[in-house]
């Protein structure tokens, strides 16, 4: 007799053994999430009550929890922060950066902001904060990148646009600066900083007035004739110039002393130059190594070296 067994009978029996394992894993994961969220809310509560050191300690403990350690961002930016561990890690880095800014530890703040933006690069406010800290650290190219990324996230974010114009003027990138000034004046034809820096750039590089004329065709025509208070204009220009001076001061190097020769150069040859640079210690400069077969004796009468002779090979007969 042929017996017919249900196809899901074996799988059902196997599931009975696997279900306890799956349920245990899910319970473990839920316990990890509960522990991590409880620690996060504790750190957040300490931060609200101005207990910053204890709050920072709790945030660092949170980063060491298994849930956050196992949370790895996806290569697909569209996925976002769906994993609860990634959400907590992002918020933790952001809050640690804010605490570092409060104690004026800008280097540490920048490190945490960059860690956060690696997890989620779509937050315009995060890019704006990175740009602000970069300007205080006089890392002007990084500030430019941050404000540009912020505008990619939200083209209408005015603080990023306003600061980017200052940064571009500081970097003397006048063409890009005029482009973003044009974008700002299209939104607000009375934008004071844009009006002032536009005319300042035209004074420094008059050729750009004609070359950039087509940029401002969509702007109100009053942008070419609005007068700005002299004191306000001077303050706007000085902001960019001061940032430029601070950047130049950081990149400046101490002048190195000129090389002092131990003796004057008699003839303009490499040999005389080497002797003039060699310290006068009573010793000769090291001679270049010579092969053993070249010989090393010098004829005293003529002052010349004999021609080098290579060792001869033994003849077959002598062998």
């Amino acid at each position: 007799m042929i017996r017919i067994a249900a196809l899901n009978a074996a799988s059902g029996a196997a599931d009975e053994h696997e279900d306890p394992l799956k349920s245990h894993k899910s319970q473990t994961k839920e316990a990890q999430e509960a522990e991590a969220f409880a620690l996060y809310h504790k750190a957040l509560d300490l931060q609200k009550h101005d207990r910053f050191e204890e709050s920072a300690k709790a945030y660092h403990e949170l980063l060491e929890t298994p849930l956050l350690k196992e949370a790895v961002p996806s290569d697909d930016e569209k996925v976002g922060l769906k994993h609860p561990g990634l959400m907590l890690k992002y918020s933790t880095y952001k809050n640690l950066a804010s605490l570092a800014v409060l104690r004026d530890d800008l280097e540490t703040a920048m490190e945490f902001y960059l860690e956060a933006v690696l997890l989620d690069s779509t937050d315009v406010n995060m890019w704006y904060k990175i740009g602000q800290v970069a300007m205080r650290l006089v890392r002007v190219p990084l500030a430019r990148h941050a404000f540009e990324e912020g505008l990619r996230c939200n083209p209408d974010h005015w603080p990023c646009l306003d600061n980017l114009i200052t940064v571009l003027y500081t970097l003397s990138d006048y063409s890009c600066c005029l482009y973003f000034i044009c974008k700002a004046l299209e939104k607000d034809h009375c934008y004071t900083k844009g009006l002032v820096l536009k005319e300042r750039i035209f004074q420094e590089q008059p050729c750009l007035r004609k070359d950039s004329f087509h940029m401002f065709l969509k702007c109100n025509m009053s942008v070419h004739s609005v007068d700005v208070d002299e004191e306000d204009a001077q303050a706007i220009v000085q902001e960019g110039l001061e940032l430029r001076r601070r950047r130049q001061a950081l990149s400046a190097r101490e002048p190195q002393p000129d090389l002092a020769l131990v003796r004057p150069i008699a003839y303009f040859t490499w040999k005389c130059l080497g002797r003039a640079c060699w310290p006068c210690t009573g010793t000769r400069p090291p001679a270049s190594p010579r092969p053993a077969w070249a010989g090393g004796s010098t004829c005293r009468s003529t002052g010349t070296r004999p021609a080098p002779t290579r060792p001869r090979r033994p003849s077959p007969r002598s062998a």
Side-chain angles (χ1 to χ4, degrees), residues 8-251:
N8 60 349
S11 61
D15 290 343
E16 291 179 359
H17 297 285
E18 293 179 1
D19 283 343
L21 180 61
K22 290 183 179 179
S23 61
H24 176 71
K25 287 184 178 180
S26 61
Q27 289 176 3
T28 304
K29 186 176 180 181
E30 291 176 359
Q32 290 178 354
E33 291 182 8
E35 178 188 0
F37 275 99
L39 188 56
Y40 175 76
H41 288 299
K42 174 186 175 182
L44 200 62
D45 186 64
L46 291 170
Q47 184 177 352
K48 289 180 180 178
H49 290 84
D50 298 338
R51 297 166 65 179
F52 300 132
E53 292 185 4
E54 298 177 38
S55 177
K57 184 179 179 181
Y59 282 129
H60 283 290
E61 291 178 5
L62 179 59
L63 291 174
E64 297 300 322
T65 57
L67 181 68
L68 270 67
K69 279 190 171 183
E70 296 173 1
V72 180
S74 173
D75 295 333
D76 188 2
E77 295 183 357
K78 296 181 180 179
V79 175
L81 302 177
K82 293 184 178 180
H83 191 280
L86 289 176
M87 295 173 57
L88 279 179
K89 185 181 287 188
Y90 175 79
S91 300
T92 299
Y93 280 134
K94 187 168 65 172
N95 292 338
L96 282 171
S98 300
L99 292 174
V101 171
L102 288 176
R103 61 177 184 269
D104 208 27
D105 187 358
L106 300 181
E107 292 287 351
T108 303
M110 179 62 74
E111 292 178 7
F112 286 130
Y113 277 137
L114 294 179
E115 289 288 348
V117 84
L118 288 175
L119 299 175
D120 183 12
S121 60
T122 62
D123 187 354
V124 62
N125 293 316
M126 180 63 65
W127 284 116
Y128 174 68
K129 291 176 181 179
I130 292 174
Q132 288 287 84
V133 174
M135 288 182 70
R136 292 178 63 182
L137 290 171
V138 201
R139 297 182 184 175
V140 187
L142 177 57
R144 173 182 183 169
H145 176 73
F147 294 134
E148 287 177 343
E149 289 296 321
L151 289 176
R152 287 191 183 95
C153 297
N154 182 4
D156 296 325
H157 194 263
W158 187 262
C160 280
L161 181 60
D162 177 70
N163 283 274
L164 178 59
I165 290 171
T166 301
V167 166
L168 291 173
Y169 177 74
T170 300
L171 293 172
S172 300
D173 192 347
Y174 292 159
S175 297
C176 284
C177 188
L178 288 172
Y179 172 79
F180 285 103
I181 287 174
C182 174
K183 293 297 181 183
L185 291 175
E186 288 177 6
K187 303 176 186 295
D188 180 9
H189 67 276
C190 296
Y191 175 49
T192 306
K193 180 184 289 187
L195 296 171
V196 170
L197 293 182
K198 175 175 70 69
E199 293 302 322
R200 177 74 180 194
I201 290 172
F202 291 158
Q203 290 177 10
E204 296 182 18
Q205 294 188 10
C207 62
L208 289 176
R209 185 184 294 273
K210 180 180 178 181
D211 295 342
S212 63
F213 181 78
H214 65 282
M215 291 185 184
F216 299 92
L217 294 178
K218 294 182 180 180
C219 299
N220 192 307
M221 294 306 296
S222 63
V223 300
H224 300 291
S225 57
V226 174
D227 293 329
V228 181
D229 182 71
E230 184 66 24
E231 187 176 347
D232 294 340
Q234 190 67 19
I236 291 171
V237 173
Q238 284 301 318
E239 180 186 8
L241 294 179
E242 178 62 24
L243 189 58
R244 185 183 299 176
R245 282 192 290 268
R246 290 172 60 194
R247 182 169 183 254
Q248 291 172 349
L250 289 177
S251 59

